[in-house]
């Protein structure tokens, strides 16, 4: 609730109120009697009864009425401020590799869990943007179509597991599936964030062809290569010996991922640990900001009738008292 005066210049007239009060009391003390009596005792008794002790009530009422009328002329009003938020949303599709190599533990606790958690945090930080989720291994499919329901995206992201689809690394198919989801988008900005830990070895569409498709449709692609440099420990479930660990060479196709990002106007990042992966998503979050335009407006309710009514009421009271109990002797 806002309070303001529509014509605050009128409030300067309030300075006249103390000046009038000073003039009244100054004049009162200097003024002598206008009638001469031989005996003033009866007059004094009448003054005490009628108005001696209340002789200042009438001018005080008049001064208060003047102040109230001045406030009314200044037009006090109360306003309720509202705002319209106009946003130009971004459509973002997250593309996540769920091949068996994503179980490598060079990211804590492993690549797939780290990728899910960081991506979920990224989703939680978006406002008014539609988010979709595509996953791939040997094949690619849409896990979540573009939606504003971020809770659904996070819940289905938590359900992702290695082995949901045939193993392999179809990077091109994952990107092409995401582009297909963005094909009918009318958003001002269309973005794909693709994370993988390997190189394309499956699928009918290679990553560079998919990048050209993205470029033609105005889709910007950010690529992330996940995995430490050198070797990583990967759990292997043996039906006879149980779970054991194998050391494998990290084989991220950085050259292709960088070219895919460059072709579409995006950027390539390398995440060698969980902390760097989180900082990458944070940087992408800052690069892809949503434009927000805020329009403020205030709806006012006029309140001038309150001080106006008070001022008129005080004048009526003054007039009534001046002609009844506080009337002056002729």
């Amino acid at each position: 609730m806002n309070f303001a005066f529509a014509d605050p210049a009128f409030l300067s007239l309030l300075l006249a109120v103390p000046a009038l009060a000073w003039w009244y009391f100054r004049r009162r003390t200097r003024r002598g009697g206008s009638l001469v009596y031989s005996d003033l005792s009866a007059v004094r008794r009448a003054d005490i009864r009628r108005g001696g002790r209340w002789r200042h009530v009438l001018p005080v009422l008049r001064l208060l009425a003047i102040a109230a009328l001045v406030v009314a002329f200044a037009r006090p009003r109360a306003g309720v401020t509202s705002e319209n938020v106009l946003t130009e949303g971004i459509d973002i599709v997250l593309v996540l590799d769920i091949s068996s190599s994503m179980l490598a533990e060079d990211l804590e606790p492993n690549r797939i869990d780290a990728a899910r958690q960081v991506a979920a945090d990224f989703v939680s930080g978006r406002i008014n943007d539609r988010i979709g989720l595509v996953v791939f291994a040997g094949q690619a499919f849409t896990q979540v179509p573009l939606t504003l329901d971020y809770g659904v995206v996070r819940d289905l992201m938590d359900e992702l597991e290695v082995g949901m689809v045939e193993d392999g690394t179809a990077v091109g198919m994952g990107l092409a599936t995401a582009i297909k989801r963005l094909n009918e988008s009318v958003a001002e900005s269309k973005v794909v964030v693709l994370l993988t830990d390997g190189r394309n070895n499956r699928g009918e569409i290679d990553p560079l062809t998919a990048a050209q498709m993205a470029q033609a449709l105005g889709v910007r692609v950010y690529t992330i290569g996940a995995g430490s440099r050198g070797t990583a420990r990967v759990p292997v479930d043996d039906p006879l010996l149980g779970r054991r660990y194998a050391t494998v060479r990290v084989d991220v196709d950085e050259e292709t991922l960088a070219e895919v990002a460059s072709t579409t106007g995006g950027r390539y990042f390398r995440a060698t640990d969980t902390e760097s992966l989180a900082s990458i998503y944070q940087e992408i979050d800052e690069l892809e900001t949503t434009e927000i335009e805020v329009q403020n407006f205030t709806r006012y309710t006029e309140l001038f009738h309150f001080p106006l009514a008070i001022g008129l009421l005080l004048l009526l009271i003054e007039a009534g008292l001046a002609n009844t109990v506080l009337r002056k002797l002729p």
Side-chain angles (χ1 to χ4, degrees):
M1 179 73 71
N2 296 328
F3 182 82
F5 291 94
D7 300 307
F10 280 102
L11 295 176
S12 61
L13 296 176
L14 290 175
L15 297 175
V17 174
L20 290 173
W22 176 85
W23 174 82
Y24 165 76
F25 289 106
R26 181 85 170 175
R27 175 173 167 271
R28 185 79 180 179
T29 55
R30 287 186 174 185
R31 189 175 64 177
S34 58
L35 295 176
V36 178
Y37 291 87
S38 59
D39 185 3
L40 299 178
S41 58
V43 176
R44 289 194 181 99
R45 285 196 301 272
D47 188 47
I48 292 172
R49 181 176 61 85
R50 292 229 176 231
R53 67 183 64 177
W54 304 105
R55 62 185 181 276
H56 298 310
V57 169
L58 296 180
V60 169
L61 287 174
R62 184 171 297 180
L63 291 173
L64 290 175
I66 292 173
L69 293 176
V70 168
V71 173
F73 291 150
R75 289 180 57 199
R77 55 186 184 172
V80 177
T81 300
S82 302
E83 64 179 22
N84 285 338
V85 180
L86 307 176
T87 63
E88 189 69 44
I90 301 173
D91 281 353
I92 303 174
V93 177
L94 305 178
V95 183
L96 187 59
D97 188 344
I98 57 170
S99 60
S100 59
S101 58
M102 288 291 289
L103 292 172
E105 297 179 357
D106 46 354
L107 275 67
E108 296 181 357
N110 55 44
R111 293 175 187 172
I112 184 66
D113 288 341
R116 288 189 306 183
Q117 182 57 53
V118 173
D121 293 340
F122 174 83
V123 171
S124 299
R126 304 305 297 182
I127 300 175
N128 298 317
D129 299 327
R130 294 198 303 170
I131 306 290
L133 177 63
V134 170
V135 296
F136 69 91
Q139 299 176 356
F141 66 93
T142 301
Q143 179 78 348
V144 184
L146 289 167
T147 180
L148 288 169
D149 192 340
Y150 301 151
V152 169
V153 178
R154 292 191 298 267
D155 290 343
L156 292 179
M157 195 175 292
D158 287 339
E159 296 178 5
L160 294 179
E161 294 180 359
V162 170
M164 292 177 62
V165 294
E166 182 183 355
D167 202 16
T169 309
V171 179
M173 290 299 297
L175 180 55
T177 302
I179 295 168
K180 183 178 180 181
R181 284 294 171 185
L182 292 169
N183 184 34
E184 298 180 359
S185 169
V186 295
E188 185 73 17
S189 183
K190 294 176 280 190
V191 174
V192 171
V193 181
L194 185 148
L195 182 146
T196 183
D197 65 346
R199 61 179 61 243
N200 188 78
N201 56 24
R202 297 288 298 274
E204 296 80 12
I205 301 176
D206 65 88
L208 296 181
T209 300
Q212 293 170 359
M213 294 167 54
Q215 181 187 34
L217 295 174
V219 177
R220 186 163 46 255
V221 181
Y222 295 96
T223 55
I224 303 172
S228 60
R229 301 186 185 278
T231 59
R233 195 175 70 153
V234 181
V236 178
D237 290 324
D238 192 299
L240 297 177
L241 302 177
R243 171 159 291 194
R244 59 185 179 84
Y245 285 88
T247 300
V248 299
R249 185 172 64 89
V250 179
D251 186 22
V252 179
D253 191 356
E254 293 192 278
E255 182 179 348
T256 299
L257 293 177
E259 188 172 351
V260 167
S262 176
T263 300
T264 62
R267 288 179 56 184
Y268 167 69
F269 302 90
R270 180 66 185 266
T272 56
D273 53 39
T274 305
E275 289 74 19
S276 62
L277 180 61
S279 65
I280 288 168
Y281 271 94
Q282 182 177 357
E283 185 172 351
I284 295 173
D285 185 54
E286 294 172 355
L287 288 171
E288 294 298 333
T289 56
T290 301
E291 232 177 79
I292 299 178
E293 179 184 351
V294 179
Q295 294 180 341
N296 291 316
F297 64 92
T298 303
R299 179 176 298 172
Y300 286 102
T301 301
E302 295 289 346
L303 302 176
F304 71 90
H305 49 279
F306 291 110
L308 180 61
I310 292 172
L312 294 177
L313 180 61
L314 290 173
L315 289 176
L316 289 174
I317 294 174
E318 185 217 358
L321 293 174
N323 290 279
T324 55
V325 296
L326 296 180
R327 68 181 182 273
K328 296 180 180 178
L329 293 175

